[in-house]
Amino acid sequence: MTDSAHALSFHESTDVGRLDEQVWLLDVQDRVPGIQYLREWSRAALALRPGERVLDVGSGTGTEVLAAAEEVGPTGASVGIDPNAGMIELARERAANLVGAAAASAGHGSRPSAEGVEGEGIGFGGPVDFVTGSVYRLPFPDASFDAVRCERVYQHLQDPRAATAEIARVLRPGGRVALIDTDWYTTIVHPADPVILRALHDFMLAGVPNPAAGRRLRGQLATAGCVIDRITSAAGVWEPRQFRPPYAELARRAEAAGAISAAQREQFLADLDAGVAADDYHVSVTLVAVLAHKP
């Protein structure tokens, strides 16, 4: 997927030169309570069992692939797919490093590598694989997986219906799917001048193909023939260390594009900083999670 103005979620870019900032933001978001809550909810909802095969679409740094591998055990398989080859390489390295650290603490000298799901796996309970590929053309046969999860990918999709059809295709009958995504129209930023904030968000959302992704997940799954089982939502509430850097970058890009002036950028950041200093601030956005199954 191509680069965009969207400074709050770099994950859509396949630009290798931006990998560091993508990884930084994903690591920061891993610690956002609302995201943590919805991940725990989706894990419980999917209820993975030993021996099952699970796919994580848009696997990023691989954290949920490894978590799923622990649940499916040595007879199962956990696969992550991401369009960014650099992200796939990083996920494999992190997985191998974690396995190596676990082996060292257990007194083993060797450090496993991240082999494919058709090979030996990397030791997190069961075989793990990370694959470079697109949600529009999942490189797996029909009915390959017992469960599929996809988190904060739909906001970046030009054709979410086609993506959902692909997810349904690789899901076996009776298999479960959990989708999590953001509804950027619910963003709250305090304190901020409403005129400047509107200009910033208009600029940001112009680069997001599907900014209302969260509210549309249910319909996407229903259209693909899946049966909706449960749905929930949570506010992703950001702390200053999480929202200040990406909003500063967004403001920089907006100024460079002429969407706001230099004075407006300075005022926006000064207002944020003043709010933080006075402990009078709030930055959040709503995320939606949907569990469904293929009949």
Side-chain angles (χ1 to χ4, degrees):
M1 302 174 194
T2 57
D3 190 11
S4 77
H6 190 192
L8 297 185
S9 185
F10 295 113
H11 188 45
E12 82 280 12
S13 174
T14 58
D15 181 358
V16 175
R18 295 181 60 202
L19 182 63
D20 288 346
E21 63 186 12
Q22 293 178 47
V23 171
W24 173 84
L25 190 61
L26 290 175
D27 287 343
V28 165
Q29 291 173 341
D30 283 349
R31 298 186 290 274
V32 173
I35 291 175
Q36 291 177 333
Y37 165 76
L38 290 179
R39 285 182 173 181
E40 292 170 2
W41 182 90
S42 66
R43 290 172 190 167
L46 285 174
L48 296 174
R49 296 180 289 271
E52 290 192 316
R53 291 175 56 86
V54 56
L55 174 66
D56 186 9
V57 177
S59 52
T61 60
T63 55
E64 292 305 293
V65 176
L66 300 180
E70 293 182 351
E71 297 186 42
V72 300
T75 59
S78 183
V79 182
I81 185 168
D82 198 282
N84 190 323
M87 194 71 73
I88 289 293
E89 181 179 355
L90 179 135
R92 287 174 175 163
E93 290 175 356
R94 286 191 174 186
N97 287 338
L98 287 172
V99 173
S105 66
H108 303 295
S110 61
R111 192 175 93 174
S113 61
E115 298 295 336
V117 73
E118 299 301 327
E120 299 178 353
I122 58 173
F124 274 85
V128 172
D129 195 17
F130 293 99
V131 179
T132 303
S134 168
V135 65
Y136 298 124
R137 295 175 301 279
L138 294 173
F140 311 107
D142 295 355
S144 297
F145 294 96
D146 301 285
V148 177
R149 74 176 304 278
C150 181
E151 178 188 326
R152 290 176 295 147
V153 170
Y154 271 62
Q155 61 191 280
H156 306 303
L157 299 180
Q158 298 283 357
D159 191 352
R161 178 175 293 190
T164 314
E166 267 294 271
I167 288 174
R169 179 186 65 78
V170 301
L171 196 62
R172 69 163 177 80
R176 297 92 67 202
V177 53
L179 303 183
I180 301 172
D181 224 301
T182 312
D183 192 318
W184 286 107
Y185 292 120
T186 66
T187 304
I188 298 172
V189 178
H190 167 78
D193 179 280
V195 174
I196 300 174
L197 184 62
R198 186 178 306 112
L200 279 173
H201 282 171
D202 286 348
F203 173 73
M204 180 184 81
L205 295 180
V208 183
N210 191 15
R215 70 184 70 179
R216 293 172 174 160
L217 294 178
R218 179 179 193 137
Q220 299 290 353
L221 287 166
T223 300
C226 295
V227 177
I228 309 302
D229 295 310
R230 279 187 272 168
I231 185 168
T232 191
S233 64
V237 180
W238 292 48
E239 291 302 316
R241 68 185 184 281
Q242 297 165 336
F243 67 70
R244 193 4 171 117
Y247 262 113
E249 174 64 9
L250 175 63
R252 183 194 68 78
R253 296 185 193 181
E255 180 192 349
I260 60 173
S261 68
Q264 287 177 314
R265 178 183 62 81
E266 292 173 2
Q267 180 184 339
F268 173 74
L269 296 177
D271 288 344
L272 275 185
D273 292 341
V276 172
D279 201 18
D280 178 18
Y281 64 89
H282 179 87
V283 175
S284 69
V285 65
T286 301
L287 297 102
V288 179
V290 181
L291 173 73
H293 71 274
K294 182 177 179 179

